[in-house]
Amino acid sequence: MNKIIPHIYQVKVELQDIEPLIWRRLQIPADLFLHDFHKVLQTTMGWENQHLHLFRKGKRLFGLADDEWNGNPLFQDYTIVRVNDLLRKPGDEMVYQYDFGDDWRHRIILEKEREPDPLEYYPVCIDGARECPPEDCGGPGGYQEMVAAVKDPSNPQHRFFKALFPDGLDPEYFDLEQINDILLEDDYGCLLPFDDDDDEED
């Protein structure tokens, strides 16, 4: 029996409400489950998997099922939903929302579909720009205020943020090779949620 090899989706991921744009271009199996796509996005963007998350397609919501979502007719457990269930043709879009407090929203656009390269490992990041914001920095507005303060010695918050980031804060940093090395790890290099460590200590 011949093994069915899924097509590859090329998607662009854009972090909203920050200029200049923070973005990644990924090639992923079209039939990747959303809970695995979440892990890929965490690694390629540079997040630390410390907060809740959802995928949004129109009014429909997809995430990890728990009591909070019971009875919501627009919600579906994302462990049974694949990327190609939501993105079917080039130009289709959905949103990945991470950290409901800081409210990081990522626009995901299907750019094209292609045959897989038998010599390539998927998922893979093929392009991108700029470093992901630090966790818990106050969302897009808080991050841009932070960057401005680090750059401006006359800013009242300059000393605070310089001490908080002793190695510097470089918004332009982007290491494609490092991202793809991490994707080769278990769970696509995605860090364990913070509460998993807490459970192990109890």
Side-chain angles (χ1 to χ4, degrees):
M1 181 181 295
N2 292 330
K3 181 179 180 181
I4 298 176
I5 301 176
H7 281 200
I8 298 302
Y9 273 2
Q10 180 171 299
V11 298
K12 187 177 183 184
V13 183
E14 301 175 346
L15 186 59
Q16 301 295 280
D17 300 321
I18 291 182
E19 294 292 341
L21 189 65
I22 299 172
W23 62 277
R24 305 289 185 262
R25 179 166 283 118
L26 313 176
Q27 291 182 348
I28 63 172
D31 64 350
L32 189 68
F33 281 106
L34 290 186
H35 69 278
D36 284 328
F37 192 27
H38 152 70
K39 298 172 187 175
V40 172
L41 290 168
Q42 286 284 307
T43 294
T44 54
M45 292 302 297
W47 297 118
E48 298 178 5
N49 200 24
Q50 295 295 298
H51 300 280
L52 299 175
H53 58 276
L54 280 174
F55 288 91
R56 296 176 175 268
K57 176 67 172 174
K59 295 182 179 181
R60 299 163 64 198
L61 309 174
F62 305 87
L64 189 62
D66 59 25
D67 293 341
E68 179 180 355
W69 299 107
N70 282 347
N72 186 331
L74 299 177
F75 179 83
Q76 185 172 352
D77 180 353
Y78 72 169
T79 61
I80 58 173
V81 181
R82 300 177 187 267
V83 174
N84 59 5
D85 291 328
L86 305 183
L87 304 180
R88 298 180 180 274
K89 63 183 185 302
D92 283 356
E93 299 183 10
M94 63 180 174
V95 171
Y96 172 69
Q97 182 182 5
Y98 173 62
D99 184 354
F100 302 159
D102 282 4
D103 196 21
W104 298 109
R105 298 199 179 211
H106 308 68
R107 180 187 180 206
I108 301 170
I109 311 105
L110 174 57
E111 294 187 321
K112 62 182 179 181
E113 185 175 359
R114 49 163 288 182
E115 294 290 330
D117 181 343
L119 300 180
E120 183 64 82
Y121 171 85
Y122 299 101
V124 61
C125 182
I126 62 171
D127 202 359
R130 308 185 79 236
E131 186 169 38
C132 184
E135 297 274 359
D136 303 313
C137 67
Y143 173 63
Q144 294 185 100
E145 290 176 7
M146 178 187 301
V147 171
V150 170
K151 290 181 177 179
D152 181 7
S154 68
N155 189 297
Q157 297 294 314
H158 177 77
R159 292 182 64 184
F160 172 77
F161 286 120
K162 287 290 284 187
L164 192 62
F165 301 101
D167 296 328
L169 182 66
D170 182 8
E172 302 304 319
Y173 178 80
F174 175 70
D175 190 331
L176 181 65
E177 182 177 355
Q178 181 182 57
I179 288 172
N180 285 317
D181 284 346
I182 297 173
L183 282 173
L184 294 172
E185 298 177 5
D186 291 344
D187 284 327
Y188 308 107
C190 180
L191 298 174
L192 287 173
F194 65 93
D195 55 349
D196 283 8
D197 292 333
D198 295 341
D199 291 344
E200 290 175 4
E201 292 173 2
D202 291 343

